[in-house]
Amino acid sequence: MNLATLARHAMSRGTTPAATYALLAKRSGKPLPSARAVCLALAIPLAETTRRLADCRDALLADPRPNSENDTGELLEALGVFDIPKSLTDTELAVVEHFLTAIDAMGGIRPGHQHGLQRWFTTGNLTTAYLSLAAARPLPRTGNPARYWTTLVTAGELLATTPSPDRRITYALTHCRTQAARTTTGG
């Protein structure tokens, strides 16, 4: 039985992707093919799988410590290697474009925040991404507050038009509108 088939079987029985990776890596002794098999079993396209694994191959999969399969699986999962990409609608793609403009207008972003946002974009969790950006602030010296807040207003308005929008979007949108008004009036 090949590794991808084993991975599909394990996950069909409720095993997490991280635990599935650990199981395959322990059995096969091949960390990189095991990680690839989990991604493919999750229906992550081969090109995307290759890109994701290239980012962490040398650090995690090339020369693993003995008995580190569980830790490596959990780390791969935390890094987003096993995130299942969601096909976004045209409206959702427009929202992501506004988010990217807002991120640029921040004038700098913490790597952890950037990583979280990227994962939310990949998985289509745009409400969480919006709430996170609405709670952040542009940097005083390098950011562009007016562009940041007005871009988030536009993104929030788009999110609010989706079927059954999360109520938290309404509150975050109100906050963004208030901040945008302050930046344009100097208050």
Side-chain angles (χ1 to χ4, degrees), residues 117-179:
L117 288 167
Q118 195 59 48
R119 289 189 72 188
W120 294 325
F121 299 165
T122 298
T123 59
N125 194 348
L126 302 184
T127 296
T128 302
Y130 183 69
L131 296 173
S132 176
L133 288 169
R137 297 194 180 285
L139 296 175
R141 291 187 181 169
T142 57
N144 182 334
R147 192 168 111 216
Y148 181 76
W149 293 113
T150 57
T151 302
L152 286 182
V153 167
T154 304
E157 289 170 346
L158 285 171
L159 283 172
T161 65
T162 60
S164 305
D166 189 311
R167 286 189 314 212
R168 297 174 297 169
I169 290 171
T170 305
Y171 299 116
L173 179 55
T174 300
H175 170 73
C176 292
R177 284 182 175 137
T178 301
Q179 294 302 318

Side-chain angles (χ1 to χ4, degrees), residues 16-34:
T16 66
T20 299
Y21 164 81
L23 175 75
L24 297 179
K26 285 176 189 174
R27 281 191 181 175
S28 71
K30 299 176 182 176
L32 182 60
S34 297

